[in-house]
Amino acid sequence: MSPTADQVASLSLEFLIVGGGIGGFSAAYMLAKGGHKVRVLERQSRVGTPAAGLRVPPNMSKILKRWIGEEELQKNAVVNLETPWYDLHTGELYGSSPWRQDVMNETGGDFLLMAHSDVHRIVYQLAIEAGVRIDFGAKVTEVSPGDPRPSVTLANGEVVTADVVVGADGPRSIVRPVVVGEEEDDPEPEGVTVFGATVPASWMETDPQLSKMIKQSAWPLIVGTNRSICAHPIRNYKQFSLMIHWPDEEAGTPENAMESWYDVVPTKTLDYSTLAPVWQKMMKGVSCLWRTRSMLRPEAEYWVDESERIVLMGEAAHPAYAGCSHGASMAIEDAVVLGKLFSFLSSPAQIPNFLHAFEEIRQQRVKDVRIREASNAAFVRMPPGPEQDARNTHFRMARGEWDDGALKTEFEGLAVLFGYDAYDAAAEWWVEWGQFQGKTNEPRNEMQFSFASVASVVEHEVVRHEVQA
């Protein structure tokens, strides 16, 4: 099904979005394009976060391509064609797994390698051009449900109301407790600290092996014992991004540290003397590290508050593993589904149904991706033992084609996830359920929720079989 690109709601609402990250700006753009008045409150003073590189999988790149066009999107991007596997401690190149073009064609998008700040600026500019009001330096101190309009209080004392408040303010969200309750368990450290960094192409070119890597259209994964480096070129091969996953106890991580990409530390914070000489040379080209701690937080059971006027999205609803490959793509998918649903709005009575539909459509999807991310993290940071030996054997067999073992399973699982289309997910809900609910405020019954869930599973299975075929 092809969703209507220019659908505009016949009733315009006021949306207040707390959080101006990739997800927040994307939601602002979608809602504004759908005919609504949108204001974003962002506590940072300007656009852009120091988070190094970003993997843009096909399910995300096809959305960005739809928004700005393929030519504009690829100006600062690198198309990922393969994943070489290296050993962190010996420097050995085990093998390389291609991102097969026939599989990518099935997904409808390209696998791109970009700088996080470049994607952030793209969606920021889209929001501005769509007429969104963006307030930087706006620290939210309180979120209150309203009847019927919720309100947000800022540090300067200003109180702002809206028809709907969207919490897009990340895993340490101030909106989330209003939705899920204050009794939620405290987050637990995963045991991994993640460092972001970039290396200039000029430095990479001083070493033959590093020079080859900066020129490759590839996403190298450098695997070690309980640690790994996710590396790839960005900005049209002008820089090399590093996402370094390191055990907390060896990373100099403060006991009270939590998620934050604004903690800048010197490169010497890490002891990388056990790394292969080539990786030690690469690290010497790093000017500083941006540190964050990976915390284990549950996905919120409910994304909509009791007043049915406050909703969570992105990592406020479903926190991702620090440095993962799908956090941004899940936030942008959330934005598309939320914005697309509200482009069909014609009555205030539909607001609760649309918010609950958004929750229903997205929850199983992000659960599936979260499971995949956890599997990937364990796969690249195995401790020594038979499983690591078996994995490395599979790596060595990856010389141009997927083998029949664990590596093939990993990549085929990712390919299934890439086929998801957020526009279609929202449009299908509207065709199957939304348009038949009229303009009453009656919630859908349990049978309707059940049928929608079954339809979602069937859709995923159809995509899976099409991709494998």
Side-chain angles (χ1 to χ4, degrees):
M1 177 183 299
S2 298
T4 304
D6 56 356
Q7 176 76 31
V8 176
S10 57
L11 173 67
S12 179
L13 298 180
E14 291 184 348
F15 280 85
L16 188 61
I17 299 178
V18 180
I22 289 176
F25 287 150
S26 297
Y29 168 69
M30 284 293 301
L31 289 165
K33 290 289 285 185
H36 302 288
K37 183 178 180 180
V38 186
R39 181 177 178 183
V40 177
L41 304 174
E42 168 53 43
R43 65 180 299 164
Q44 298 300 327
S45 60
R46 62 184 184 275
V47 68
T49 55
L54 186 69
R55 275 73 61 208
V56 180
N59 50 298
M60 176 177 168
S61 72
K62 60 190 172 188
I63 294 172
L64 294 176
K65 182 170 65 175
R66 178 177 183 144
W67 288 352
I68 66 172
E70 185 171 8
E71 182 178 355
E72 185 67 25
L73 178 60
Q74 295 198 5
K75 280 183 179 178
N76 289 309
V78 173
V79 179
N80 178 29
L81 300 179
E82 62 178 320
T83 292
W85 303 89
Y86 292 90
D87 188 283
L88 185 63
H89 306 290
T90 68
E92 177 188 355
L93 172 60
Y94 290 117
S96 184
S97 303
W99 291 92
R100 292 182 355 206
Q101 192 57 50
D102 58 333
V103 174
M104 294 299 101
N105 290 342
E106 288 286 341
T107 68
D110 294 313
F111 196 140
L112 302 179
L113 308 169
M114 301 182 69
H116 185 282
S117 58
D118 288 346
V119 177
H120 196 194
R121 287 188 175 88
I122 286 172
V123 294
Y124 163 75
Q125 191 61 41
L126 285 168
I128 289 292
E129 292 172 358
V132 175
R133 173 179 172 180
I134 298 174
D135 295 347
F136 288 106
K139 182 180 179 182
V140 175
T141 58
E142 186 179 357
V143 179
S144 302
D147 186 14
R149 287 165 64 91
S151 66
V152 164
T153 303
L154 304 182
N156 64 5
E158 181 184 1
V159 177
V160 187
T161 64
D163 295 304
V164 178
V165 169
V166 180
D169 50 340
R172 298 164 66 180
S173 170
I174 193 171
V175 183
R176 181 179 171 115
V178 179
V179 176
V180 304
E182 298 285 353
E183 71 280 359
E184 193 171 45
D185 292 338
D186 292 334
E188 295 289 336
E190 184 194 358
V192 176
T193 297
V194 183
F195 297 88
T198 57
V199 185
S202 57
W203 177 261
M204 302 283 287
E205 290 165 355
T206 63
D207 179 273
Q209 188 172 354
L210 295 178
S211 179
K212 181 181 179 182
M213 293 179 72
I214 187 62
K215 295 174 183 177
Q216 273 187 315
S217 300
W219 169 24
L221 286 174
I222 308 167
V223 300
T225 298
N226 299 321
R227 66 204 73 207
S228 63
I229 299 179
C230 167
H232 55 80
I234 57 176
R235 291 184 169 147
N236 201 20
Y237 307 96
K238 293 181 177 67
Q239 290 179 320
F240 201 66
S241 168
L242 305 177
M243 201 68 72
I244 305 164
H245 296 75
W246 220 256
D248 278 351
E249 62 272 16
E250 299 177 35
T253 308
E255 276 294 320
N256 61 348
M258 300 182 79
E259 305 96 331
S260 173
W261 284 112
Y262 294 90
D263 188 5
V264 182
V265 298
T267 308
K268 64 181 180 181
T269 300
L270 286 183
D271 175 12
Y272 49 87
S273 60
T274 63
L275 275 56
V278 64
W279 312 134
Q280 293 189 42
K281 172 98 182 257
M282 180 174 65
M283 291 299 297
K284 290 179 180 178
V286 174
S287 59
C288 66
L289 300 169
W290 303 301
R291 180 173 63 191
T292 190
R293 194 180 198 184
S294 188
M295 304 295 291
L296 296 174
R297 296 176 184 265
E299 179 186 335
E301 183 178 358
Y302 303 105
W303 297 7
V304 182
D305 82 318
E306 291 184 357
S307 75
E308 298 179 313
R309 291 296 185 275
I310 302 175
V311 63
L312 302 175
M313 64 162 290
E315 290 199 59
H318 44 87
Y321 297 96
C324 71
S325 295
H326 291 275
S329 69
M330 292 301 99
I332 282 187
E333 286 183 2
D334 283 356
V336 168
V337 172
L338 184 67
K340 187 63 186 175
L341 288 174
F342 275 91
S343 73
F344 296 115
L345 189 77
S346 59
S347 165
Q350 294 172 304
I351 295 174
N353 285 337
F354 284 2
L355 293 180
H356 287 296
F358 165 71
E359 176 186 75
E360 178 195 356
I361 292 167
R362 294 297 300 154
Q363 277 192 338
Q364 187 59 52
R365 165 67 173 172
V366 297
K367 284 178 182 177
D368 292 343
V369 173
R370 189 178 175 91
I371 292 170
R372 173 57 55 182
E373 291 279 27
S375 173
N376 292 344
F379 191 64
V380 298
R381 298 199 297 272
M382 287 180 177
E387 289 187 350
Q388 187 191 87
D389 294 340
R391 180 202 66 187
N392 294 348
T393 297
H394 286 302
F395 286 161
R396 292 186 179 100
M397 294 170 62
R399 300 284 178 177
E401 291 295 334
W402 294 342
D403 72 304
D404 291 327
L407 195 60
K408 179 180 179 181
T409 301
E410 289 292 322
F411 273 72
E412 289 185 344
L414 287 174
V416 171
L417 297 182
F418 293 163
Y420 183 88
D421 190 302
Y423 277 94
D424 282 356
E428 286 170 4
W429 178 87
W430 173 252
V431 170
E432 294 176 10
W433 303 108
Q435 63 180 331
F436 301 116
Q437 294 177 29
K439 301 177 178 62
T440 69
N441 199 26
E442 297 178 4
R444 287 176 293 162
N445 61 41
E446 293 299 320
M447 184 66 74
Q448 287 175 313
F449 271 96
S450 175
F451 279 140
S453 300
V454 170
S456 176
V457 172
V458 170
E459 176 189 0
H460 288 163
E461 286 298 300
V462 169
V463 172
R464 180 173 69 84
H465 287 299
E466 288 178 348
V467 170
Q468 288 181 337

